[in-house]
């Protein structure tokens, strides 16, 4: 039972907090909550920016706090705090109770205490000591921006690095008690080229999870050459002619369109909001039979991988679409409660100041049987999208994405580069038109913003052919 005397004990990372956490959870249950969850975080982040031949920004940041969520029936209340004392955590629970206007101190829940700690952090304790120093990062970023300076057409060169180290403790009234350490590193290069009236840009981003030495191994010369060649290929390109046409989307970051336009519609958060056209399509055909799509948090080293999600559940490999048939939605605790779809280890949040929501992890279209050349050879007149830029997506799957590097396809062959192309469509109309998938699946890192903040994800696909899509241009 909860003591009437509140002492000053507080959460200590790296130590056993079981007794304190149980007292706090008991407190919430005793006030009438059906369910109580605590997500406690300690973070150590840094970022470095190189512009031209100078380091222009070094930004370290540290954070520590707790996110407290309670459920009553199907409603939930969430409060975050930097006060990790027992008094601070209990005060936050009281605020969440008031938020839901719970006055009856009775419920149907029984809290039997926390389970034995599941410690996923044991092999990760030294990660923070193994990552590169700011000096190492700065030196390599300057080498990479120097490599971008191939000739006088290059007028802007940037390199950026960011690291997020996060230690978490998760405890809830269903007995969940787990701790983990996460480490994400990402580096990006950007270039703008200019010659008289001609202008182009190029960019690439690389990233990993759980590999402290990854940045030291990064081949900055290869990356710089790739960005430079992409930008120069497009510098003198003509504008594409707008119209309906078949396209081939390249592998790796080409998967961002599936992620944005379709993947979000398969999160139970969208079912709760009534914004997905697929809510009543389970076990029905929503895509071409060549399409199998997967979301998982298991691929070693991939940017969206997890040992546990932010609700303490190990991630599963979720086959979302199999041979064109919708098989599963991504679900978190609230999603399971409100929609009936079982949790998939997809409860994610940016940090302790957000409540977890159903979010993607590593999301990709599975590889098929065709080569890239067979996809291109099948098109008489179309567009090859080698590199995708930014875009926007409507609430129900309408999208437009800029093509950063594109080439015309004529009689089954790649011809001249073209610029100004934008792919415009609607997920439910485009998915049935993905008729061929290549055998060259590759993944790429990215950041995804949604209701629970910005989270690290992976997008991916093999080369795919879309039989017809609207291409915006001139």
């Amino acid at each position: 039972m909860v003591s009437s005397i509140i002492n000053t004990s507080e959460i200590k990372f790296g130590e056993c907090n079981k007794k304190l956490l149980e007292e706090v959870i008991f407190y919430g249950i005793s006030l009438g909550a059906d369910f109580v969850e605590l997500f406690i975080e300690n973070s150590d982040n840094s970022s470095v920016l190189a512009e031209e031949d100078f380091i222009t920004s070094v930004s370290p940041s540290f954070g520590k706090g707790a996110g407290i969520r309670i459920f009553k029936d199907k409603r939930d209340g969430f409060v975050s705090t930097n006060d990790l004392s027992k008094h601070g955590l209990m005060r936050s629970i009281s605020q969440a109770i008031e938020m839901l206007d719970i006055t009856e101190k009775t419920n149907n829940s029984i809290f039997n205490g926390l389970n034995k700690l599941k410690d996923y952090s044991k092999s990760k304790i030294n990660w923070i000591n193994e990552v590169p120093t700011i000096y190492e990062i700065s030196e390599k970023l300057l080498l990479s921006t120097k490599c971008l300076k191939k000739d006088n057409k290059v007028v802007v060169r940037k390199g950026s690095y960011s690291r997020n180290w996060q230690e978490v403790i998760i405890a809830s009234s269903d007995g969940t008690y787990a701790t983990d350490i996460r480490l994400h590193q990402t580096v990006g290069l950007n270039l703008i080229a200019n010659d008289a009236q001609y202008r182009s840009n190029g960019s690439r981003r690389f990233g990993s999870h759980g590999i402290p030495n990854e940045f030291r191994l990064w081949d900055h010369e290869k990356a710089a050459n790739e960005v430079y060649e992409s930008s120069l290929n497009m510098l003198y390109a003509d504008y594409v002619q707008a119209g309906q046409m078949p396209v081939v989307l390249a592998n790796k970051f080409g998967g961002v369109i599936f992620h944005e336009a379709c993947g979000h519609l398969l999160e139970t958060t969208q079912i709760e909001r009534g914004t997905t056209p697929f809510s009543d399509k389970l076990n029905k055909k929503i895509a071409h039979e060549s399409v199998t799509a997967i979301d998982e948090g298991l691929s070693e080293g991939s940017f969206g991988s997890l040992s546990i999600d932010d609700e303490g559940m190990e991630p599963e490999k979720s086959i979302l679409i199999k041979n064109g048939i919708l098989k599963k939605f991504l679900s978190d605790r609230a999603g399971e409660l409100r929609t009936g779809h079982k949790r998939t280890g997809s409860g994610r949040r940016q940090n302790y100041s957000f409540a977890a929501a159903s979010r993607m992890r590593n999301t990709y279209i599975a590889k098929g049987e065709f080569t890239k050349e067979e996809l291109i050879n099948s098109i008489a007149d179309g567009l090859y999208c080698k590199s995708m830029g930014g875009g926007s997506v409507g609430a129900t799957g309408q999208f437009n994405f800029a093509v950063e590097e594109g080439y015309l396809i004529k009689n089954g062959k790649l011809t001249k580069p073209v610029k100004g192309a934008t792919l415009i469509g609607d997920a439910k109309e485009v998915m049935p038109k993905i008729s061929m998938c290549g055998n060259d699946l590759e993944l790429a890192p990215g950041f995804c913003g949604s209701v629970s903040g910005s989270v690290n994800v992976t997008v991916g696909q093999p080369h795919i052919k879309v039989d017809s899509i609207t291409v915006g241009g001139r």
Side-chain angles (χ1 to χ4, degrees), residues 27-28 31-33 68-72 75-79 90-105:
Y27 179 67
L31 293 179
I68 295 100
R69 184 168 58 166
I70 66 169
F71 284 86
K72 185 65 175 178
R75 299 177 298 142
D76 67 304
F78 177 80
V79 175
M90 287 182 169
R91 183 174 57 190
S92 296
I93 283 188
S94 296
Q95 291 172 335
I97 292 285
E98 292 175 7
M99 187 182 300
L100 294 185
D101 194 26
I102 300 174
T103 54
E104 294 290 334
K105 295 184 179 181

Side-chain angles (χ1 to χ4, degrees), residues 243-257:
Q244 285 279 333
M245 64 185 76
V247 303
V248 172
L249 286 165
N251 56 2
K252 297 178 71 173
F253 200 67
V256 69
I257 295 182

Side-chain angles (χ1 to χ4, degrees), residues 23-270:
E23 287 187 66
V24 173
I25 292 172
F26 266 125
Y27 179 67
I29 295 295
S30 70
L31 293 179
D34 288 341
F35 181 85
V36 178
E37 174 193 78
L38 288 88
F39 176 88
I40 304 165
E41 176 190 11
N42 178 30
S43 65
D44 180 340
N45 308 317
S46 65
S47 61
V48 182
L49 175 64
E51 296 179 279
E52 317 307 337
D53 299 311
F54 303 96
I55 297 297
T56 56
S57 175
V58 177
S59 303
S61 65
F62 306 92
K64 188 178 290 187
I68 295 100
R69 184 168 58 166
I70 66 169
F71 284 86
K72 185 65 175 178
D73 299 322
K74 294 186 177 182
R75 299 177 298 142
D76 67 304
F78 177 80
V79 175
S80 64
T81 179
N82 297 112
D83 186 348
L84 298 185
S85 70
K86 185 163 72 174
H87 174 71
L89 295 173
M90 287 182 169
R91 183 174 57 190
S92 296
I93 283 188
S94 296
Q95 291 172 335
I97 292 285
E98 292 175 7
M99 187 182 300
L100 294 185
D101 194 26
I102 300 174
T103 54
E104 294 290 334
K105 295 184 179 181
T106 57
N107 52 38
N108 297 318
S109 299
I110 299 174
F111 177 44
N112 294 316
L114 295 174
N115 300 331
K116 182 181 178 182
L117 177 67
K118 289 188 175 181
D119 188 352
Y120 296 86
S121 68
K122 287 181 179 177
S123 63
K124 309 170 184 175
I125 297 295
N126 290 323
W127 279 0
I128 191 63
N129 300 316
E130 296 171 359
V131 295
T133 64
I134 294 297
Y135 177 79
E136 287 180 277
I137 296 163
S138 300
E139 288 291 297
K140 194 158 187 176
L141 280 183
L142 289 175
L143 288 174
S144 66
T145 56
K146 185 177 181 180
C147 285
L148 289 173
K149 194 175 183 179
K150 305 288 187 185
D151 53 44
N152 292 332
K153 299 184 186 70
V154 178
V155 294
V156 174
R157 296 170 286 129
K158 292 184 180 180
S160 62
Y161 166 92
S162 68
R163 184 205 72 214
N164 173 237
W165 178 91
Q166 182 191 49
E167 182 177 12
V168 301
I169 301 169
I170 303 166
S172 56
S173 58
D174 64 354
T176 297
Y177 184 31
T179 185
D180 192 19
I181 289 175
R182 291 92 175 258
L183 171 67
H184 294 90
Q185 296 180 93
T186 179
V187 57
L189 292 180
N190 298 81
L191 175 156
I192 296 177
N194 189 65
D195 185 15
Q197 75 272 29
Y198 303 104
R199 188 178 179 89
S200 66
N201 62 75
S203 64
R204 294 290 187 278
R205 179 155 294 281
F206 311 86
S208 67
H209 168 258
I211 310 175
N213 205 37
E214 178 74 2
F215 182 72
R216 295 188 182 96
L217 302 175
W218 176 52
D219 188 341
H220 66 280
E221 293 185 14
K222 180 181 177 183
N225 288 336
E226 187 178 333
V227 174
Y228 172 79
E229 289 174 7
S230 173
S231 179
L232 267 290
N233 284 343
M234 300 305 297
L235 184 57
Y236 304 107
D238 293 330
Y239 283 95
V240 70
Q241 187 74 34
Q244 285 279 333
M245 64 185 76
V247 303
V248 172
L249 286 165
N251 56 2
K252 297 178 71 173
F253 200 67
V256 69
I257 295 182
F258 176 81
H259 171 104
E260 295 289 356
C262 185
H264 280 296
L265 302 181
L266 303 181
E267 298 166 340
T268 50
T269 308
Q270 304 301 318

Side-chain angles (χ1 to χ4, degrees), residues 253 256-257 260 388-393 399-402 422-423:
F253 200 67
V256 69
I257 295 182
E260 295 289 356
M388 300 304 300
S392 61
V393 181
F399 65 85
N400 65 80
F401 277 89
T422 303
L423 302 186

